[in-house]
Amino acid sequence: MIIYLIDGSLEGLLCAVFEWFERKPGPVILKTVQHYQPDAFIQTFQVDNDLNKADRVWKGLQRKLDKRWIRHFYCTFLSELPEAYSSLFEFACYIFSNPPGAEANYGNAHVLALSQTAHKVEREKHRMEAFIRFEHTADGMFYCGIDPDFNVLPLIMNHFKNRYADQRWIIYDLKRHYGLYYDLHIVEEIQMKNVESPENVENIESAEHKENPQSIQIPGNLEGACSTENETTSKVWSKPAKNIRSDKESLYAMLWKDYFKSTNIVARKNTKLHIQHVPKRYWKYLTEKRQDS
Amino acid sequence: MSERIREKLNILADAAKYDVSCSSSGGTRKNDNKGLGNSHASGICHTYTEDGRCVSLLKILLTNHCIFDCAYCVSRKSNDIERAAFTVEEVVSLTMNFYRRNYIEGLFLSSGIFKNADFTMERLVRVVKKLRLEERFNGYIHLKTIPGASDELIREAGMYADRMSINLEMPTEAGLKLLAPEKSHQDVIKPLSFVQNQIIQFKEEKKLIKSVPKFVPAGQSTQMVIGATPETDKDIMQTADAFYRNFSLKRVYYSGYIPISNDNRLPVLGSQPPLIRENRLYQTDWLMRFYGFHVNELLNDANPHLDIDIDPKLSWALRNLHHFPVDINIVSYQMILRIPGIGVGSAKKIVQARKFGKLRIDQLKKIGVAYNRARHFIKCADTPYQLKDYQSTQIKSFILAESQSKYIKNDVNQLILF
């Protein structure tokens, strides 16, 4: 038994797979630096990141798996769950040690874990596509702050880029402190200072360069495969104009709330179903469920 | 100004809410003109009302003025309610502004009939044309076909709408004649088949010439009111089945009647809408469309009504116990789909996974099979040997004892003696 210690990046994870096949140490416990506690009885091996090794493993996976499974793999990684890393590691080792087609074995715990975690992430992605509510600011920007359970911004980028092609928008992940900004041409990754809630946007005075962008550093390769084009170039977001809501914003927010109320059929009230579809943790971002104004 | 708009929206959204359809799937419009909107193939529900129904589209009437007097409808001529009408510009600006804020997937526009069918249809067409051509809107548009409108207008509407629908209202002709003497099923069938023929024709042309525009790419749907007239579930589902087959409809919606009038032909005000029945009908609909069941297997002269306490698939299995138990590791995909407690997702996983070795109970549970329900109907690698053959009534009571129905408030289970 040996502990493999990785830094939590996709690169590190893929390198761990490489190192396992290089050394064949038998059963391995995979830990991220974040969740690592030294163990007196088990040896620890620090996995160093190496782009070439990671790239080889990634290319190997792409040869063995179809696009759907590469996406499952990427989505599971974006879940950021502590147990997802070891599932991914075990899954990759299982795929490489078996003939092609092994990913269809849903009886295998790691295959099933990957398929189920990916399903959760896709659900969160879909929820973000549904629950994001833009607010129109006075300088013509459509803004929305979110805190999704999983890191789904890379997955929803194309959806919003295609859909809102004729308006400038920002979607900001308040939990992971980065966001997407569309300037009518391309989507850029941005970082803002002191943002806690959408209301605080007006306090932003400067934006700083993002040192370590969230997008994975394996060039082109991964993004292409996962159909999330590698257009995010982390960039300074130039100082925004004073962010206040446009004058029409409160009217349309009100009309939307009215509509939400009018379209409800009281005789069919079913609160359980309502909450099942719109869990309470999302209410704070939904115009129609917010109590204010 | 804004007060008037609010008032209109409240009246016309309230009047439109009895149309059940809110689906936004099947649209294929791409945002290739740098405009607004891009269809999402599977549709998106942006929120859910407190009654648990999805809100995907801005569902409004253009007006609730109507020349007809159908007993089941809130907007009927004789009903004393507030009337209002949107202008074309108002509908367009509401749609655009809601869409820009990611509130909606698109527009569902219906209307009461004012003056005549053509006049109404022409207004609806003006709204969609303005959205598509002037505002470069590529979101989803669901348009009501107005019965009796001219073929030219319907054809023009189909060039811009993603889905068109026209409501059957009552499952049988007799029921419709009782509540809406001015209408007949023939009024619905004519435009339905016209649009369907056009869809086929456009598809044929598109095979030859690529630039042929889209025509109602998300197909047609219809809706029936349930529980207003005394039809059996068998009548309802056979009508639905016939419409699915004859007009290749994408969906048939079932709408439990909500009492809105003192008319003595209808259930009295304040009686509960038939929600369980509606739910069972949708389950049957799904079994027909995705599980390979024929309507006559689920509903026939011996069983004209669906069971209220158990779902139609379980009910079918209990009536046909001679098919069970089946060995999950051998039996065909079609048969796996028919096992209570196993859905399409689990069935597909089972078929793939069993190539790698015989499946065990713990694996089935993890894959997502509702094992407590399915165990009475299946065998797998480590199923314990069972001496006793249970009767269908016994199996039913086992399953009912384990499951908690969301509809039945207090337990009504019979004690099991043996």
Side-chain angles (χ1 to χ4, degrees), chain B residues 342-355:
Chain B
I342 300 183
V344 175
S346 309
K348 281 187 177 154
K349 285 199 175 99
I350 289 170
V351 173
Q352 295 203 22
R354 67 185 182 183
K355 291 179 195 152

Side-chain angles (χ1 to χ4, degrees), chain B residues 106-334:
Chain B
L107 176 67
F108 180 129
L109 192 60
S110 176
S111 182
I113 318 290
F114 49 106
K115 283 193 187 161
N116 58 48
D118 269 351
F119 190 84
T120 312
M121 194 72 209
E122 194 262 336
R123 283 297 171 85
L124 298 183
V125 172
R126 260 163 61 189
V127 173
V128 282
K129 263 178 105 166
K130 194 173 161 72
L131 275 170
R132 291 281 191 236
L133 302 179
E134 288 176 35
E135 305 283 340
R136 291 189 298 171
F137 177 72
N138 299 310
Y140 194 88
I141 297 180
H142 181 152
L143 209 60
K144 272 265 139 38
T145 316
I146 305 295
S150 71
D151 288 354
E152 292 74 52
L153 275 172
I154 293 178
R155 196 182 139 94
E156 194 175 10
M159 309 285 286
Y160 303 105
D162 288 292
R163 170 168 289 183
M164 295 185 73
S165 68
I166 181 160
N167 289 352
L168 211 48
E169 307 298 7
M170 295 299 148
T172 55
E173 187 77 43
L176 190 65
K177 275 277 168 281
L178 177 70
L179 297 178
E182 301 149 305
K183 290 187 174 174
S184 80
H185 272 181
Q186 208 48 46
D187 299 342
V188 175
I189 288 169
K190 193 178 151 270
L192 265 182
S193 57
F194 173 73
V195 173
Q196 195 216 353
N197 290 337
Q198 290 287 315
I199 293 177
I200 296 170
Q201 200 180 320
F202 270 77
K203 269 194 187 141
E204 286 299 316
E205 282 173 31
K206 206 170 175 72
K207 276 183 200 158
L208 303 173
I209 311 162
K210 232 186 148 209
S211 60
V212 169
K214 292 188 167 77
F215 188 84
V216 197
Q220 299 192 90
S221 64
T222 191
Q223 173 176 327
M224 291 188 262
V225 177
I226 305 307
T229 43
E231 280 98 3
T232 61
D233 291 341
K234 185 183 128 224
D235 295 335
I236 296 167
M237 290 320 294
Q238 281 183 342
T239 307
D241 182 56
F243 273 79
Y244 274 127
R245 276 187 286 111
N246 299 341
F247 304 101
S248 23
L249 292 187
K250 294 286 180 195
R251 284 291 296 274
V252 173
Y253 292 94
Y254 312 92
S255 163
Y257 177 73
I258 295 150
I260 41 145
S261 124
N262 273 321
D263 198 308
N264 56 14
R265 289 168 291 178
L266 288 163
V268 288
L269 276 177
S271 53
Q272 266 298 308
L275 296 184
I276 311 177
R277 187 175 177 205
E278 191 187 291
N279 181 228
R280 296 288 181 237
L281 288 171
Y282 275 114
Q283 287 175 326
T284 312
D285 186 279
W286 249 250
L287 290 177
M288 278 159 45
R289 288 189 301 141
F290 302 116
Y291 289 78
F293 280 92
H294 190 273
V295 62
N296 291 340
E297 290 180 279
L298 300 162
L299 288 161
N300 42 45
D301 289 330
N303 311 279
H305 279 287
L306 296 166
D307 281 320
I308 288 297
D309 52 353
I310 54 172
D311 64 86
K313 192 177 175 187
L314 178 59
S315 163
W316 174 84
L318 291 176
R319 283 201 306 269
N320 294 279
L321 271 183
H322 55 278
H323 291 305
F324 300 106
V326 291
D327 189 335
I328 206 94
N329 287 306
I330 297 167
V331 83
S332 70
Y333 172 72
Q334 281 74 18

Side-chain angles (χ1 to χ4, degrees), chain A residues 89-288:
Chain A
F89 175 78
E90 301 286 352
F91 174 79
C93 293
Y94 170 74
I95 288 298
F96 284 126
S97 343
N98 282 285
E103 72 274 10
N105 185 6
Y106 288 98
N108 180 297
H110 309 301
V111 172
L112 200 61
L114 218 75
S115 136
Q116 284 170 346
T117 315
H119 189 74
K120 282 186 202 162
V121 176
E122 296 280 10
R123 180 168 55 212
E124 186 69 3
K125 167 204 165 255
H126 192 78
R127 276 183 174 151
M128 283 305 126
E129 286 169 357
F131 294 156
I132 277 177
R133 297 282 182 269
F134 286 121
E135 283 189 334
H136 196 205
T137 61
D139 61 350
M141 181 75 75
F142 285 84
Y143 174 84
C144 180
I146 53 172
D147 64 343
D149 295 351
F150 310 121
N151 183 14
V152 292
L153 276 193
L155 299 175
I156 62 175
M157 183 178 80
N158 272 342
H159 171 80
F160 283 96
K161 183 175 149 244
N162 294 336
R163 172 163 292 205
Y164 299 105
D166 70 341
Q167 67 188 39
R168 290 158 62 226
W169 50 259
I170 291 176
I171 298 170
Y172 202 78
D173 189 332
L174 303 165
K175 198 148 92 186
R176 295 170 186 82
H177 308 292
Y178 80 111
L180 302 174
Y181 165 54
Y182 175 69
D183 65 354
L184 299 180
H185 302 287
I186 52 164
V187 182
E188 290 171 314
E189 204 168 283
I190 55 161
Q191 202 173 42
M192 295 190 282
K193 235 181 185 178
N194 308 326
V195 199
E196 262 133 40
S197 68
E199 280 68 35
N200 282 2
V201 181
E202 41 206 284
N203 299 332
I204 306 164
E205 283 303 316
S206 66
E208 68 173 30
H209 195 288
K210 194 165 159 62
E211 290 296 327
N212 194 7
Q214 214 76 9
S215 61
I216 292 85
Q217 293 288 301
I218 301 174
N221 206 335
L222 174 74
E223 268 73 15
C226 302
S227 72
T228 54
E229 293 160 36
N230 193 11
E231 273 184 45
T232 50
T233 46
S234 100
K235 199 183 169 184
V236 185
W237 184 37
S238 54
K239 194 170 137 187
K242 206 167 175 8
N243 273 289
I244 43 171
R245 287 179 197 157
S246 73
D247 44 350
K248 285 276 186 202
E249 180 56 36
S250 56
L251 168 68
Y252 284 109
M254 197 164 59
L255 285 172
W256 175 242
K257 280 185 183 180
D258 287 349
Y259 174 71
F260 183 70
K261 260 185 237 127
S262 320
T263 198
N264 179 36
I265 299 177
V266 181
R268 300 178 58 112
K269 188 175 162 65
N270 188 346
T271 312
K272 194 181 157 203
L273 188 60
H274 172 63
I275 290 175
Q276 187 183 325
H277 284 309
V278 192
K280 282 186 175 166
R281 63 180 182 280
Y282 300 103
W283 287 13
K284 55 183 179 287
Y285 297 118
L286 295 176
T287 316
E288 66 272 19

